[in-house]
Amino acid sequence: MLPIILCSVIALAITVERYWTLRVSKVRPKDQLPQVWSWIKKHELDSEKIKQLKQSSLFGYVLSAGLTSSRYGRDAMKDAIQEAGDHAAHEMEKFLSTLGTIAAISPLLGLLGTVLGMVDVFTDIMIQGTGNTAVLAGGISKALITTAAGLSVAIPSVIFHRALSRKIDELLVLMEQDSAKLVEAIHAENSGQKK
């Protein structure tokens, strides 16, 4: 039971931490892209603003990578955004593999506890015989509790792992769409100025 309880505490901590960290307002603030576009329009975008943008959020990190590479052309900007997006995805997926592992091993730990409990039951049968049904029922009950505990940790862990994975995918798609808009807008404006 001790490893199952430890798994439940870790799973709960990861779930709370990831939901707190992956808030949309923290990862991809709504006002960030309009702010960047305002800086570009007013010619206020400088290295200090890019540094500030980079440190503000994961989306800001992705945008700053693209803006830093914008002078090298559309392809360089897209490559920089893709690379920064991969880094952002890695940051958002932090601890999810641990949560998935807990979801996978918790039922196995419960099953192990059940098997060990059944071994104790059969040891009691050898010592006392089959006449004392209360001892047998109590031993079997204790053995099955570990399976129930393992499943009660695994099921929420699977649900939250899937939900968090989905949330990360949605955030990445939104970041990718907004970054593509910025690339197109900057290079459309640059090609308009060249004419």
Side-chain angles (χ1 to χ4, degrees), residues 128-187:
Q128 298 180 11
T130 56
N132 191 351
T133 56
V135 172
L136 294 179
I140 292 171
S141 170
K142 285 180 187 174
L144 291 176
I145 286 173
T146 58
T147 298
L151 289 172
S152 64
V153 171
I155 292 168
S157 295
V158 169
I159 291 168
F160 287 121
H161 182 269
R162 297 268 169 101
L164 285 166
S165 295
R166 177 74 179 152
K167 184 178 181 84
I168 289 168
D169 289 344
E170 288 173 0
L171 284 168
L172 287 172
V173 166
L174 290 171
M175 288 167 62
E176 187 178 312
Q177 289 172 345
D178 287 348
S179 300
K181 286 178 194 172
L182 183 67
V183 170
E184 294 307 317
I186 285 177
H187 287 286

Side-chain angles (χ1 to χ4, degrees), residues 63-176:
L63 290 178
S64 68
L67 291 169
T68 304
S69 302
S70 65
R71 64 179 164 261
Y72 301 114
R74 181 188 307 248
D75 291 335
M77 192 174 178
K78 283 183 177 180
D79 289 345
I81 286 173
Q82 179 65 45
E83 191 175 315
D86 291 344
H87 173 74
H90 181 72
E91 283 296 310
M92 286 191 278
E93 290 170 351
K94 193 187 296 186
F95 307 126
L96 277 194
S97 62
T98 305
L99 187 61
T101 302
I102 288 171
I105 66 168
S106 294
L108 297 175
L109 289 171
L111 186 60
L112 177 64
T114 299
V115 169
L116 293 175
M118 293 305 287
V119 167
D120 288 344
V121 167
F122 284 114
T123 303
D124 288 343
I125 289 173
M126 270 187 356
I127 294 170
Q128 298 180 11
T130 56
N132 191 351
T133 56
V135 172
L136 294 179
I140 292 171
S141 170
K142 285 180 187 174
L144 291 176
I145 286 173
T146 58
T147 298
L151 289 172
S152 64
V153 171
I155 292 168
S157 295
V158 169
I159 291 168
F160 287 121
H161 182 269
R162 297 268 169 101
L164 285 166
S165 295
R166 177 74 179 152
K167 184 178 181 84
I168 289 168
D169 289 344
E170 288 173 0
L171 284 168
L172 287 172
V173 166
L174 290 171
M175 288 167 62
E176 187 178 312

